[in-house]
Amino acid sequence: MKSDGPLITVVVAVYNGGKTLKQCLDSIVSQTYGSIQLIVIDGGSTDDSVGIIRGMSEEFYYWTSESDKGIYNAWNKGLAKATGDWVCFIGADDYFVNANALANMAQALAQVPLAVNVAYGKIVLLGHEDEVLYEYGEPWERVAAKFKKTMCLPHPGLMHRRTAFLQHGEFDESFKIAADYDMLLRILQDGVAQFIPNLTVVAMRQGGVSSNPANTFLALSEVRSAQYKSGFIFPSMTWMLSWFRALLRLAMFRLLGERNARRILDWGRHMMGLPPYWTKIK
């Protein structure tokens, strides 16, 4: 059933994500909002992901399973098929928090000025036992200046106008981690994003590659490359402090062992009034 309101394209990229894929897809096809276009791009999975996709394929606008060059290549494949007014991108580990998430988002999107190409709500970060860690996402007015120094927008909770990709190009596949940030820097170089208050959109599992401090350096390097590409020649103090903190975390992991380092890091978060994170992810 088609609903009055903008058509929202949801692009799901997956590779061997069978453990969580069905929950992700169920959260989309169970949405009460009717104007949803679901595109699933599988990277040639060898687990049961393709079987899950085939079993639900009648609910999809388009799906494919073939070898690809990573998540941004998959997203670009999805973009090539998308016809929605707005496009969002989620992974097989993510899911919409309730059946009304996109209906509530669509109601807000209908009020977004035509000049605004990015709108977003909050996301929920989950630990290794699927426990809620904390919500993430702040009003644009608070993060606009910070955004040009570091990625601080909750990408799974973002809606992009499809026309913005026609104006600014697709995801730069030379990036392995930060192509979403690079894209948003291009879109928001001279624009603004619109925060949708009181709306939590997606739950996002933490862990895996992101939980290893050594991988933080690749992420920070790509963030700096994206900034340089967008004309920010010199690194900000924020970026340099992030690099220093990454060095400190890596040293702690190597000298104290992973378990002790995670405990100390969360003790530090507690002293700053923040919820635990490092002991809750794997």
Side-chain angles (χ1 to χ4, degrees):
M1 180 182 68
K2 186 171 176 24
S3 301
D4 292 333
L7 177 62
I8 297 175
T9 298
V10 181
V11 178
V12 177
V14 57
Y15 178 70
N16 287 344
K19 290 183 179 179
T20 57
L21 178 60
K22 191 172 188 307
Q23 182 185 24
C24 171
L25 297 179
D26 281 342
S27 78
I28 302 168
V29 302
S30 65
Q31 290 294 305
T32 59
Y33 187 63
S35 292
I36 299 173
Q37 180 184 76
L38 175 53
I39 294 174
V40 181
I41 309 295
D42 178 78
S45 292
T46 56
D47 66 355
D48 60 345
S49 295
V50 177
I52 293 170
I53 293 167
R54 283 203 177 101
M56 303 179 67
S57 60
E58 290 184 0
E59 305 282 354
F60 305 162
Y61 173 76
Y62 173 84
W63 76 276
T64 188
S65 178
E66 59 187 12
S67 179
D68 60 36
K69 300 175 183 177
I71 188 170
Y72 300 119
N73 180 234
W75 285 1
N76 282 334
K77 288 180 180 179
L79 269 176
K81 298 294 182 180
T83 63
D85 303 294
W86 294 87
V87 185
C88 66
F89 304 87
I90 67 173
D93 286 342
D94 310 330
Y95 60 89
F96 288 98
V97 295
N98 58 57
N100 295 315
L102 288 180
N104 294 331
M105 175 60 80
Q107 185 177 11
L109 291 176
Q111 308 302 317
V112 174
L114 287 175
V116 175
N117 286 317
V118 175
Y120 65 101
K122 290 184 178 182
I123 64 173
V124 175
L125 301 183
L126 303 179
H128 62 82
E129 295 182 352
D130 281 358
E131 71 274 35
V132 173
L133 301 180
Y134 54 89
E135 288 190 330
Y136 179 60
E138 296 182 89
W140 177 247
E141 293 76 16
R142 294 184 190 173
V143 299
K146 183 180 177 182
F147 172 70
K148 294 180 179 179
K149 302 172 185 177
T150 186
M151 176 57 166
C152 54
L153 294 180
H155 198 258
L158 262 69
M159 296 285 162
H160 315 69
R161 282 197 196 274
R162 187 171 57 85
T163 52
F165 294 101
L166 301 178
Q167 297 167 3
H168 299 281
E170 60 184 13
F171 291 99
D172 184 343
E173 295 176 20
S174 67
F175 291 95
K176 302 303 178 186
I177 296 178
D180 50 347
Y181 181 54
D182 169 68
M183 168 57 70
L184 289 170
L185 278 174
R186 281 183 272 150
I187 294 176
L188 297 172
Q189 183 86 3
D190 300 309
V192 299
Q194 183 154 325
F195 177 66
I196 311 301
N198 304 315
L199 178 58
T200 302
V201 188
V202 168
M204 180 182 183
R205 291 180 173 90
Q206 300 296 284
V209 173
S210 63
S211 71
N212 185 343
N215 293 315
T216 305
F217 295 105
L218 175 58
L220 285 170
S221 295
E222 289 200 356
V223 162
R224 181 81 278 273
S225 295
Q227 292 167 344
Y228 187 87
K229 180 180 170 186
S230 290
F232 303 104
I233 305 302
F234 301 105
S236 66
M237 183 61 68
T238 299
W239 183 90
M240 289 189 287
L241 286 173
S242 295
W243 188 275
F244 174 76
R245 286 195 295 268
L247 279 174
L248 180 60
R249 285 196 299 268
L250 182 59
M252 289 174 63
F253 268 59
R254 290 179 175 175
L255 293 174
L256 304 176
E258 181 176 335
R259 186 177 180 182
N260 290 330
R262 289 182 184 276
R263 287 177 173 175
I264 293 172
L265 287 169
D266 270 351
W267 176 81
R269 288 178 62 85
H270 174 73
M271 295 301 291
M272 293 187 291
L274 299 173
Y277 176 82
W278 290 98
T279 57
K280 300 295 183 179
I281 63 174
K282 290 183 178 180

